[in-house]
Amino acid sequence: MRAALSLTLALGACVQPAPQGAGQGTAVREPLRVTNNGQPFRLYEGAAARRVADATCAAQGRRLRPSIYDRFDAGAWVYVEGCA
């Protein structure tokens, strides 16, 4: 029992927390919802929606953060990570 506890404590001492840069860890990302100039996209228009999302982020001086959780929702493509 004591050896397991010592090993656990020793391994825990090897871990360093991730460095916190300016604003890192406190930024809240808003999902980006894109439509086709106010009109709904169709499900098969994902490539066109991606171009709109890329251009939207680029206009803000940022870049799109694609995710496996991006989705089509009621005529809009939703990029859950938004722009970074």
Side-chain angles (χ1 to χ4, degrees):
M1 169 82 171
R2 185 174 174 128
L5 181 60
S6 296
L7 181 60
T8 302
L9 292 174
L11 290 176
C14 296
V15 177
Q16 290 183 339
Q20 295 293 317
Q24 184 179 3
T26 59
V28 176
R29 291 192 180 96
E30 293 291 324
L32 175 65
R33 295 179 64 88
V34 294
T35 59
N36 192 5
N37 287 326
Q39 298 299 313
F41 273 114
R42 290 189 166 67
L43 180 60
Y44 60 84
E45 295 178 306
R50 173 65 187 263
R51 286 190 292 274
V52 170
D54 283 333
T56 300
C57 291
Q60 300 171 9
R62 300 170 13 181
R63 63 178 185 80
L64 182 66
R65 292 182 51 101
S67 164
I68 62 170
Y69 300 107
D70 298 341
R71 65 187 180 280
F72 179 75
D73 181 37
W77 279 90
V78 180
Y79 296 90
V80 296
E81 292 287 321
C83 303

